[in-house]
């Protein structure tokens, strides 16, 4: 279970990205965060795995306080939380297999990483996972030869071979076309269910959130202004979440 | 369980062969160095001794290097100016869109290559034979050496001219000269200015050593001090060179940011 | 209305400098500076004309180039090649960690400062000066020359590679960090694949530069074809000098072509 309480982050530029954010993601729950760009969605996720240092607040994963960890402890914690990115962030010049295996980097020595000598069970798991995301036989292709949808599938495979306790997913479909977006989102939610792990998913597209969410949180200017089920997401609620964001609501609704 | 071999057997063999080949070449090169280990073992002591003699530097000598220092800057500046004048015609010959025919293009390229492949110190040796030792030989060496570099970058700037802008000025009914002034000069001026400043900065650094072969400037004083084993003077001169190079680099960086 | 027309009359193109007077002042200053430079050379026309006469004799003696002592020539070229190859390998080996130190996005401030310091130390002094010092330290010969080239290489290679590391895609780094990988694994998986083409390209370019530099550091006794050339000048063997010069131009051009072709194939 992930518990976030009172997260605050102000960037050196003076941007108040988060002004006290609290949320809980239970055992096998899929929680979507919606909100206009600049609301702080990415910052929430990056404060959870400490890619960004929060100024205040508490993050606990299965009872372990993440915000107080240092050095090697943070890296241990990161192994438990796999992240999927908006721009896929694959290592473009490496093969699909190397990209998937990079999810195991926290578990191997530097020498093993250099020689690409990952334990056989990791390699087997990588093959299986590639098959599950629909990329069987792609292992020796280079990441920069793939289409956007295929790249994101590799990103998902990389996250899964980590055997994480939670998936942190940052705008996984923003760089994809609508049809691929839906397929990718279906894949993420299906795999999360099969693995019995929870997921916290940032998303721009309200329709996708409605379609796949069990619970939706609405973020506006660094605070949650909405929490509820897809059914609770009325026009009024949307206006509240996208308040002050101009035309963005229209684009989020996919109009 | 399935294995994922990173390389095919063929790749493994090729990589091994590549490594062996590289190791052989490096070993051959190392043998060619003719290293005398007793000298190498002695070198830390030598270096320590050298620096011990250089520092503190001989500040009293400072007055005597002001003149040569100015001479060095003169050599660099004059050399650069001369190089620019020589480079403009070469660049127009060596740019595909302004050259007359293949022969002139080849000529431009040849001038460029020869100028660049002979170092300024060697040019200095040659010009010393022609005009005798001194700053003139130094300035000529700097100029001839710079022509290749400067005209290459000038030519690239000329090749990147946007024809549309030239067309637009021609369409206003402007004459040949006005087209040059309004359609072409604004496009190549930033490149020319940037390259000039950059080369001047490089030339300052080059000019500091020309005196070692007798072509004037602070290098001459440096060489004299080294031959006379006056290491505290050497220390001072090296400090001064360091200062001049750093300052000229800063000036060059500032000016290039401004004209970019 | 009157105000508007006066504005129109006063329009001037904006200056590149903070104040309008700076540009013309710079030009005037520059012109005066160059003029003073030219005057301070004290070119003596009589001496130049004598020199030109002498030049004619010299060139007469230089033609035809004398390739008779080709063993000496080959020896010098081989030594230059050896110096260039070895110093490139060493320079890259030492330059890579220096570059990581000098990349602002990977090194903490004190390490960064140290890295930048090493780089500027390697770049400030002309290779001839460095060669003089190395000759003093390890004696005459190609070894001193090799060390000189390595020294310069660290600064040059380190600087360019550090810039490349600073410009890599942050997302890929973030993704590897998010897996819980340590610093070393991040460098290995996220940074190295992104900068590897640049490393290879720079290595080839370095070799080309070293070959060129190895033709001159021999002047101060640091081995290579430069030593052969300087000796021939000192002995007034101008026909041999010309032969050496032609060979230098040829190997530098050849090196440039090899390096250009190799770099193109990598991209």
């Amino acid at each position: 279970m992930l518990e976030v309480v009172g997260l605050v982050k102000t960037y050196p530029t003076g941007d108040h990205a988060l002004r006290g954010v609290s949320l809980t993601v239970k055992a096998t729950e899929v929680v979507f965060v919606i909100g206009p760009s600049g609301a702080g969605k990415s910052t929430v996720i990056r404060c959870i795995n400490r890619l960004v240092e929060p100024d205040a607040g508490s993050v606990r994963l299965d009872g372990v306080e993440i915000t107080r960890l240092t050095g090697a402890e943070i890296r241990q914690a990161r192994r438990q939380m796999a992240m999927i990115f908006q721009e896929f962030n694959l290592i473009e010049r490496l093969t699909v297999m190397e990209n998937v295996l990079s999810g195991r980097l926290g578990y191997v020595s530097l020498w093993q990483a250099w020689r690409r000598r990952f334990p056989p069970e990791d390699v087997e798991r990588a093959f299986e996972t590639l098959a599950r995301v629909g990329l069987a036989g792609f292992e020796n292709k280079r990441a920069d030869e793939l289409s956007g949808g295929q790249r994101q599938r590799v990103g998902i495979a990389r996250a899964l071979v980590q055997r994480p306790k939670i998936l942190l997913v940052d705008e996984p479909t923003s760089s994809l076309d609508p049809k691929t977006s839906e397929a990718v989102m279906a894949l993420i939610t299906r795999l999360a269910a099969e693995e019995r792990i929870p997921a916290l998913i940032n998303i721009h597209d309200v329709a996708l959130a409605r379609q796949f969410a069990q619970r939706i949180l609405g973020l506006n200017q660094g605070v949650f202004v909405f929490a509820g089920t897809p059914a609770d997401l009325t026009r009024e609620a949307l206006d509240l979440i996208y308040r002050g964001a101009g035309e963005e609501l229209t684009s989020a609704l996919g109009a | 369980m399935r294995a994922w071999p990173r390389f095919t057997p063929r790749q493994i063999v090729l990589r091994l062969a590549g490594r062996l080949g590289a190791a052989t070449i490096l070993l051959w090169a190392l043998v060619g160095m003719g290293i005398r280990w007793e000298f190498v073992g002695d070198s830390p002591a030598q270096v320590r001794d050298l620096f011990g003699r250089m520092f503190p530097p001989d500040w009293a000598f400072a007055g005597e290097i002001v003149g040569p220092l100015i001479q060095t800057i003169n050599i660099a500046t004059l050399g650069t100016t001369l190089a620019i004048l020589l480079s403009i015609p070469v660049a127009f010959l060596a740019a595909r869109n302004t050259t007359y025919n293949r022969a002139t293009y080849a000529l431009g390229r040849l001038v460029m290559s020869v100028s660049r492949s002979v170092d300024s110190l060697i040019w200095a040796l040659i010009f010393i034979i022609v005009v005798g030792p001194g700053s003139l030989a130094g300035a000529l060496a700097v100029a001839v050496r710079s022509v290749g570099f400067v005209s290459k970058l000038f030519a690239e700037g000329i090749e990147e001219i946007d024809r549309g802008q030239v067309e637009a000025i021609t369409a206003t009914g402007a004459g040949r000269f006005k087209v040059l002034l309004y359609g072409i000069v604004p496009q190549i001026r930033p490149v020319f200015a940037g390259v000039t400043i950059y080369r001047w900065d490089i030339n300052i650094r080059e000019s500091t050593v020309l005196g070692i072969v007798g072509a004037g400037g602070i290098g001459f004083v440096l060489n004299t001090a080294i031959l006379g084993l006056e290491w505290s003077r050497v220390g001072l001169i090296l400090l001064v060179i360091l200062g001049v190079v750093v300052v000229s680099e800063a000036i060059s960086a500032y000016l290039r940011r401004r004209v970019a | 209305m009157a105000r508007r027309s006066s504005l129109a009359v006063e329009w001037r193109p904006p200056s590149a400098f903070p104040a309008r007077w700076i540009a013309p002042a710079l030009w005037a200053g520059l012109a005066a500076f160059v003029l003073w430079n030219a005057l301070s050379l004290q070119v003596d026309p009589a001496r130049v004309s004598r020199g030109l006469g002498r030049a004619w004799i010299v060139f007469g003696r230089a033609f035809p180039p004398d390739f008779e002592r080709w063993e000496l020539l080959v020896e010098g070229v081989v030594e230059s090649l050896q110096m260039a190859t070895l110093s490139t390998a060493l320079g890259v080996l030492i330059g890579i960690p220096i570059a990581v130190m000098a990349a602002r996005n990977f090194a903490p401030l004190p390490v960064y400062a140290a890295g930048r310091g090493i780089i500027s130390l390697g770049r400030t002094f002309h290779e001839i000066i460095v060669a003089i010092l190395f000759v003093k330290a390890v004696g005459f010969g190609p070894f001193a020359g090799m060390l000189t080239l390595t020294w310069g290489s660290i600064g040059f290679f380190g600087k360019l590679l550090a810039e490349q590391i600073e410009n890599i895609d942050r997302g890929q780094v973030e993704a590897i960090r998010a897996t819980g990988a340590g610093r070393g694994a991040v460098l290995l998986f996220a940074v190295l694949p992104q900068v590897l083409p640049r490393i290879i390209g720079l290595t080839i370019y370095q070799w080309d530069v070293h070959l060129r530099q190895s033709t001159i550091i021999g002047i101060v006794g640091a081995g290579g074809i430069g030593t052969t050339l300087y000796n021939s000048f000192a002995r007034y063997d101008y026909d041999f000098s010309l032969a050496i010069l032609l060979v230098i131009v040829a190997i530098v051009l050849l090196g440039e072509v090899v390096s250009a072709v190799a770099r193109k194939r990598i991209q």
Side-chain angles (χ1 to χ4, degrees), chain C:
Chain C
M1 278 302 123
R3 176 138 190 79
R4 200 169 150 202
S5 68
S6 79
L7 261 182
V9 168
E10 278 168 20
W11 185 86
R12 293 274 188 285
S15 170
F17 293 93
R20 188 165 293 286
W21 56 269
I22 296 180
L26 265 179
W27 280 114
L30 192 66
F33 184 53
V34 171
L35 194 71
W36 167 69
N37 273 210
L39 291 178
S40 72
L41 272 192
Q42 294 169 328
V43 179
D44 176 2
R47 209 181 74 181
V48 171
S49 73
R50 246 182 299 135
L52 284 176
R54 195 172 49 217
W56 194 241
I57 302 169
V58 167
F59 284 125
R61 270 206 287 171
F63 280 101
D66 172 20
F67 284 98
E68 218 153 85
R69 277 162 289 175
W70 59 272
E71 296 100 334
L72 265 178
L73 240 174
V74 170
E75 207 175 289
V77 170
V78 165
E79 209 166 83
S80 276
L81 278 172
Q82 288 172 324
M83 281 158 58
T85 308
L86 204 56
S87 58
T88 303
L90 271 180
V92 170
L93 225 56
I94 306 171
I96 289 176
I98 303 283
V100 174
M101 283 173 69
R104 190 63 201 98
N105 47 352
F106 273 89
L109 198 59
V111 177
Y112 170 75
R116 285 284 154 182
I118 294 172
I119 285 174
S120 39
L121 213 61
R123 280 164 39 81
T124 308
F125 288 111
H126 194 280
E127 52 273 12
I128 282 282
I129 295 177
V130 180
I132 292 172
L133 299 179
F134 272 119
V135 166
K136 290 284 166 199
V138 300
F140 286 98
F143 184 52
M146 192 276 287
L147 293 177
T148 303
L149 298 179
T150 307
W151 177 267
S153 180
I154 293 169
F156 187 78
F157 186 84
K159 181 179 151 68
L160 292 179
L161 186 60
E163 276 164 15
Q164 186 74 9
I165 294 177
E166 283 171 353
N167 287 329
I168 59 171
D169 173 16
R170 303 282 307 147
Q172 299 182 32
V173 176
E174 208 177 35
I176 298 298
R177 281 180 65 205
T179 67
R183 210 176 258 271
V186 170
L187 282 174
L188 209 58
F189 260 77
V191 180
L192 187 62
Q194 291 193 58
V195 299
L196 194 62
R198 181 74 170 161
I199 290 181
I200 296 171
L202 277 179
T203 304
I204 298 166
Y205 182 56
Q206 272 296 293
W207 180 78
D208 175 21
V209 170
H210 286 174
L211 199 58
R212 214 176 288 202
Q213 290 175 339
S214 77
T215 61
I216 53 150
I217 54 177
I219 291 173
V220 294
I225 186 78
T227 307
T228 327
L229 178 71
Y230 194 60
N231 287 340
S232 76
F233 268 111
R235 287 200 225 103
Y236 308 107
D237 286 339
Y238 294 130
D239 48 355
F240 189 39
S241 306
L242 183 62
I244 298 172
L245 277 177
L246 290 176
V247 169
I248 287 179
V249 172
I251 59 172
V252 167
L253 289 184
L254 201 69
E256 212 165 285
V257 170
V258 169
S259 136
V261 168
R263 273 184 291 161
K264 199 167 282 174
R265 280 197 52 178
I266 287 161
Q267 282 161 8

Side-chain angles (χ1 to χ4, degrees), chain A residues 130-161:
Chain A
L130 272 177
R132 283 170 76 189
V133 299
L135 290 178
F138 277 71
E139 59 269 9
N140 285 328
K141 281 218 186 297
R142 242 169 68 159
D144 52 11
E145 296 175 59
L146 305 182
S147 71
Q150 289 170 333
R151 285 181 201 210
Q152 193 57 295
R153 284 163 195 272
V154 176
I156 295 167
R158 171 171 67 190
L160 279 188
V161 297

Side-chain angles (χ1 to χ4, degrees), chain B residues 74 77 116 121 130 135 205 258, chain C residues 16 37 40-41 51 123 256:
Chain B
N74 283 349
T77 313
R116 285 195 313 139
L121 275 164
V130 178
S135 315
R205 190 168 162 278
R258 281 288 159 193
Chain C
N37 273 210
S40 72
L41 272 192
R123 280 164 39 81
E256 212 165 285

